[in-house]
Amino acid sequence: MWVISLCRGRAIVWAMLGSTRYNTGSSPSSVIPMTQLWTWKRLALFNLCLKPEEVNYTRLKSAMDYQAGGSMPGQPLGWLEHHTMAWSPEAISSDSYVVDIGLLGAREVEEGLRSFKELELDGHEINRHNFHLPTLSARLGQACHEVHRGRGFVIIRGIDPLKYSVEDNVMIYLGIAAYIGEQRGFQDKKGNMLTHITASKDWKTPPELRHGIHTNSSLMWHCDMGVDILALHVRSLAERGGDTFIASSFTIVKELKFLYPHVIQALQEVAWPIQVSGNPVPRYILAPLLHIDSGNNLIILSVDPGRLGVHPSTMGTDGTSPIPPLDPTQLEALRVLNQVASKYRLRLDTKPGDMVFLNNFTHLHARDAYSDPGQGQGRHLVRLYLRNPTMADPVPKPMRVPWEAAFGPRVTEERYPVVPALEYSAPRYTAGSAAFPLDDNDDANGNSAA
């Protein structure tokens, strides 16, 4: 039989052992046989805390059928069970994803920097062929494989940023990053290749007029849409908070397929209004947020809630917008997605000098709020977009517009700002947690090129 109990004013549906059959009211096939052995632990997986009128017995039946060995709607995803990227946070220790290069490795990096400077090239010309790391290259090759074919993330540790100038820090960062992904992506239409993620004490612009990455507020679960590899160089940390969390998209999809198949269907529909740059500003495209290729054991989840639906700048005086709003099904899908990502979140154990490399197509990330010290440097990360043409998976055509903005044809000169801008100009149009600018005249990154 079914038992409905209360949990904080909401109802939880529990299945008790017995031979009772519950009719969901749709058809004879909707009758649920309760002779299956359901343990308390398995039932807890539902994590359903619903109002009584929200109880979806059809969804419960689908989950039961799947648990009993049946099939779920859509593509079979049995391969997810043992996929290396379908990790759970409790199974991961920090030493398993940190590559500490040690003193010898740090000296080799210094020698690579010295040799590159002797070439008298510009910093942006660094690549793995002129930033020589004869011993470390093998370990960095393993790290590259881990990002693309392993669990999907690594941290390179062992470089003290306080030992180097801001220019040398950037060159070391670019040199090591070249062994993970040699192609770098634009971060805005001005050609900035680096973004300084910080809340500088020098900025006079109020936080409410800045983009989220330039405040100390929390950031919701998202990815940097259209980016293969997200790289972050940790220059310094906050006094309190500011942790970076990640969640595997493979693990998220596995749980959604089991408990919320309707969310999987919604995320795959070519019906999500995504804000993109263009003229008039801003404009939008309709695209899916989720791509599943069971033939190649591939999942791409590309979602940033801040870039979806109506942009505030497009709202007319009558409250209407040319960009369609998200419908209730889409809003519910995002809510569930956020809930599942939080359930499987892993806090990255970062230290100053760390270089984080994350497979951005197969992971979501988030940040909690933080506070900086009253004096001195606060939280400061430097962001880089990377792609490895040899290792990268193909980007599905419906999801290519954001990707082409980063890795498409070079339409402007590349800029590598080594420090945050002294002054912060409030952007007219930006979208998303990743601070993607929507206007040719915007510089949403708050950067200063050197």
Side-chain angles (χ1 to χ4, degrees):
M1 63 178 177
W2 293 96
V3 176
I4 300 180
S5 59
L6 292 178
C7 171
R8 297 181 182 177
R10 299 170 78 83
I12 301 179
V13 179
W14 299 102
M16 304 299 290
L17 299 179
S19 59
T20 304
R21 299 166 67 87
Y22 192 92
N23 194 319
T24 61
S26 55
S27 67
S29 63
S30 299
V31 177
I32 303 174
M34 295 306 300
T35 55
Q36 299 162 332
L37 179 62
W38 281 83
T39 65
W40 200 250
K41 180 180 179 181
R42 285 179 179 175
L43 286 169
L45 288 174
F46 282 114
N47 194 28
L48 290 176
C49 207
L50 305 170
K51 296 178 181 178
E53 64 271 17
E54 293 175 343
V55 174
N56 189 325
Y57 294 104
T58 301
R59 185 190 305 170
L60 289 176
K61 179 181 183 298
S62 297
M64 289 176 63
D65 290 344
Y66 178 75
Q67 182 71 12
S71 62
M72 293 288 281
Q75 302 184 54
L77 296 179
W79 53 271
L80 268 176
E81 291 299 324
H82 305 290
H83 199 285
T84 53
M85 286 194 186
W87 52 262
S88 296
E90 63 272 10
I92 296 180
S93 59
S94 60
D95 58 357
S96 68
Y97 59 81
V98 173
V99 179
D100 195 330
I101 65 175
L103 290 176
L104 291 179
R107 290 172 186 163
E108 186 172 315
V109 169
E110 287 185 355
E111 179 60 24
L113 176 64
R114 185 192 63 78
S115 298
F116 175 77
K117 287 183 174 180
E118 289 179 350
L119 299 175
E120 298 184 350
L121 299 173
D122 291 333
H124 73 274
E125 297 180 87
I126 286 178
N127 57 54
R128 59 184 301 168
H129 303 294
N130 58 32
F131 197 91
H132 299 293
L133 301 174
T135 302
L136 277 180
S137 60
R139 298 185 69 186
L140 294 177
Q142 293 172 352
C144 177
H145 186 273
E146 183 69 13
V147 170
H148 290 89
R149 301 291 182 261
R151 283 190 299 219
F153 63 99
V154 295
I155 291 179
I156 307 299
R157 178 171 293 169
I159 301 296
D160 181 1
L162 297 179
K163 291 180 58 177
Y164 307 99
S165 66
V166 291
E167 293 83 4
D168 285 355
N169 266 304
V170 168
M171 286 188 283
I172 290 173
Y173 184 26
L174 295 178
I176 292 177
Y179 286 83
I180 308 297
E182 55 263 44
Q183 186 177 356
R184 306 179 197 124
F186 281 127
Q187 300 196 30
D188 60 35
K189 299 191 74 173
K190 286 184 173 292
N192 282 307
M193 310 298 285
L194 298 173
T195 293
H196 292 268
I197 301 175
T198 188
S200 174
K201 297 181 177 67
D202 296 327
W203 293 338
K204 306 303 181 184
T205 304
E208 59 270 18
L209 297 181
R210 303 182 213 154
H211 203 281
I213 66 170
H214 298 131
T215 72
N216 58 5
S217 302
S218 61
L219 294 178
M220 67 182 74
W221 287 105
H222 68 283
C223 73
D224 292 37
M225 297 186 75
V227 176
D228 295 65
I229 304 169
L230 171 67
L232 298 169
H233 186 199
V234 182
R235 297 286 182 83
S236 54
L237 296 173
E239 185 174 59
R240 289 187 302 275
D243 288 325
T244 298
F245 298 90
I246 64 173
S248 164
S249 299
F250 283 68
T251 304
I252 292 170
V253 168
K254 183 167 65 172
E255 174 125 335
L256 292 177
K257 191 70 173 178
F258 178 46
L259 296 179
Y260 306 100
H262 65 294
V263 172
I264 294 285
Q265 181 180 351
L267 293 173
Q268 291 180 291
E269 291 178 352
V270 187
W272 292 84
I274 301 173
Q275 303 156 16
V276 296
S277 61
N279 189 19
V281 177
R283 64 186 182 92
Y284 73 97
I285 61 169
L286 294 178
L289 303 183
L290 174 64
H291 171 75
I292 300 177
D293 181 357
S294 293
N296 294 301
N297 293 357
L298 173 65
I299 286 176
I300 294 179
L301 180 60
S302 185
V303 55
D304 184 348
R307 285 185 68 175
L308 304 176
V310 176
H311 190 282
S313 65
T314 67
M315 293 293 292
T317 56
D318 58 353
T320 62
S321 169
I323 300 179
L326 300 182
D327 63 37
T329 299
Q330 292 173 327
L331 293 172
E332 169 68 5
L334 293 179
R335 185 193 67 79
V336 172
L337 183 66
N338 185 76
Q339 173 183 309
V340 176
S342 297
K343 178 179 178 180
Y344 291 104
R345 72 177 191 173
L346 172 70
R347 185 186 71 85
L348 292 182
D349 180 22
T350 56
K351 302 181 185 302
D354 284 355
M355 298 180 191
V356 180
F357 297 98
L358 177 69
N359 191 320
N360 183 68
F361 277 142
T362 62
H363 289 78
L364 300 181
H365 60 280
R367 182 189 79 192
D368 63 0
Y370 68 92
S371 58
D372 284 331
Q375 301 294 328
Q377 180 70 56
R379 186 181 190 271
H380 182 191
L381 280 63
V382 183
R383 185 177 68 188
L384 185 64
Y385 290 162
L386 299 172
R387 184 174 189 268
N388 187 316
T390 302
M391 300 287 288
D393 292 309
V395 181
K397 186 175 181 180
M399 306 174 86
R400 285 185 67 91
V401 171
W403 180 85
E404 288 173 348
F407 297 103
R410 309 281 92 168
V411 295
T412 186
E413 184 179 354
E414 297 179 2
R415 304 174 66 212
Y416 289 81
V418 297
V419 295
L422 293 178
E423 296 182 1
Y424 188 96
S425 300
R428 292 174 56 205
Y429 305 109
T430 60
S433 302
F436 186 83
L438 298 176
D439 186 5
D440 291 343
N441 298 318
D442 271 345
D443 184 358
N445 291 323
N447 294 326
S448 176

